[in-house]
Amino acid sequence: MYDIIIIGRGPAGLSAALYTVRANLKTLVIGKGNSALKKADKIENYFGFSEPVSGEMLLREGEKQVLRLGTEIIEDEVVSIEQDQNFHIHTPNGKYEAKAVLLATGQTQKKVKIGNLDDFVGKGVSYCTTCDGFFYRGRKVGILGFKDYAIHEAMEMEVFTKDIIIYTNGASLDISDSFREKVTRFKFNFNKIAKLEGNDFLRKIVFEDGTSEEIDGLFVAYDSASSIDFARKLGIMTEGNSISVDRNQQTNIPGIFAAGDCTGGLKQIATAVGEGALAARRIIEYVRSL
């Protein structure tokens, strides 16, 4: 049992870990180490450096710092969060339990270029199997994705229907070893999708090679799960693609906090670091109050 699990290994998550671990909270950081900050070759506007530094260096030194203080870091991908009295974090390789959770995965950059996709959101296209799976009982549904997250969402849909197809949209499968045995349960279509068709509701997927397939519903689980994906499933309030938080970075769900780019606002390292610190202060108070 952890006091706090931080999802995301960027500046917001690592900043929060600095404070929670120094407050003697058992702290775990989970992430794939693919922060957008790694792509920044030269950073000149972060306090304390007389010469430009790379984002990769900042992250590397930040991880060394939190590890030295006693934070645990696991390189893995979170595919779901469940809540009862505590929070249960699921990855392809393990399950973890915590009293509080900080979402700090950044803001999703994924944008699937499929014709009419946005037009059918709420009309056959959904981003949340937990929210909408019930409406597709016994129906033919598709899962759009090619990573562990897509396999997890397909497994979630099995309680509602067995007629499930995973559409990779031309991508090759990128599945962890722990999920490989599960892919045999599903049908796959690797064709590139051109557009979706239907009248008032989704009826057909049209592929770039001119073929098509009828479908009742399509659940988007492209790439990896983001903070906004977790928010949809947990009932966390959002505004657009950003998670809504109060001045202490707390969401409307007690025990769940968010910091960094996933909350919108000024997308700067200094902002993410500051929000991580604010979240940590409130997390410490929250955990100690339990």
Side-chain angles (χ1 to χ4, degrees):
M1 165 76 81
Y2 292 89
D3 292 309
I4 173 66
I5 291 180
I6 297 168
I7 303 173
R9 288 166 61 184
L14 294 176
S15 171
L18 284 174
Y19 288 86
T20 58
V21 74
R22 280 169 50 86
N24 205 31
L25 267 58
K26 190 175 181 181
T27 301
L28 173 65
V29 176
I30 304 177
K32 294 290 283 185
N34 55 357
S35 170
L37 184 57
K38 272 193 172 181
K39 299 176 183 178
D41 181 49
K42 292 182 179 181
I43 298 168
E44 296 184 307
N45 62 346
Y46 189 62
F47 176 80
F49 294 90
S50 59
E51 297 294 330
V53 295
S54 70
E56 186 172 6
M57 188 276 281
L58 278 179
L59 290 171
R60 183 175 63 248
E61 294 302 309
E63 289 197 358
K64 287 181 182 178
Q65 188 177 14
V66 299
L67 286 169
R68 176 178 62 80
L69 293 170
T71 298
E72 294 180 51
I73 297 179
I74 293 176
E75 181 155 356
D76 209 344
E77 176 184 347
V78 175
V79 293
S80 72
I81 303 172
E82 297 175 357
Q83 179 184 11
D84 48 29
Q85 289 183 334
N86 296 308
F87 297 95
H88 302 271
I89 313 301
H90 298 261
T91 76
N93 300 300
K95 299 177 182 178
Y96 309 91
E97 186 175 359
K99 300 172 185 176
V101 171
L102 173 64
L103 301 176
T105 61
Q107 193 168 60
T108 178
Q109 301 296 317
K110 58 190 177 186
K111 182 67 176 177
V112 192
K113 294 182 179 180
I114 294 175
N116 304 326
L117 179 66
D118 293 340
D119 295 338
F120 284 106
V121 172
K123 303 174 182 178
V125 170
S126 174
Y127 286 81
C128 181
T129 55
T130 303
C131 311
D132 299 327
F134 177 82
F135 300 112
Y136 295 88
R137 303 185 306 281
R139 299 291 190 92
K140 181 179 179 180
V141 301
I143 306 292
L144 180 62
F146 59 95
K147 292 190 175 183
D148 289 343
Y149 183 42
I151 304 301
H152 175 270
E153 293 299 273
M155 292 164 57
E156 290 283 294
M157 281 301 300
E158 285 184 300
V159 299
F160 302 113
T161 181
K162 301 301 180 185
D163 195 356
I164 301 170
I165 302 174
I166 297 177
Y167 297 95
T168 71
N169 194 32
S172 300
L173 287 178
D174 183 10
I175 306 297
S176 64
D177 291 340
S178 56
F179 266 30
R180 288 198 180 280
E181 63 181 34
K182 298 177 175 63
V183 302
T184 58
R185 290 151 57 168
F186 305 108
K187 295 177 284 186
F188 288 84
N189 187 314
F190 293 90
N191 289 344
K192 185 78 172 175
I193 300 174
K195 60 181 178 178
L196 306 181
E197 289 187 351
N199 295 318
D200 295 333
F201 211 81
L202 174 65
R203 289 288 177 258
K204 185 186 296 184
I205 297 176
V206 180
F207 303 99
E208 289 189 351
D209 64 4
T211 61
S212 63
E213 186 167 10
E214 293 188 355
I215 198 80
D216 293 314
L218 182 66
F219 289 84
V220 181
Y222 214 67
D223 210 337
S224 301
S226 67
S227 291
I228 202 72
D229 294 316
F230 299 133
R232 290 188 182 106
K233 290 176 175 291
L234 291 165
I236 296 171
M237 292 179 62
T238 61
E239 185 174 344
N241 281 327
S242 299
I243 294 176
S244 298
V245 293
D246 65 15
R247 59 185 298 177
N248 294 308
Q249 306 303 130
Q250 184 167 300
T251 70
N252 60 300
I253 304 292
I256 299 186
F257 303 80
D261 287 0
C262 66
T263 63
L266 184 63
K267 293 179 174 57
Q268 293 290 304
I269 303 168
T271 307
V273 169
E275 289 187 358
L278 279 172
R281 184 186 67 175
R282 182 66 189 100
I283 289 165
I284 294 165
E285 295 172 354
Y286 174 81
V287 170
R288 287 176 176 172
S289 72
L290 295 177

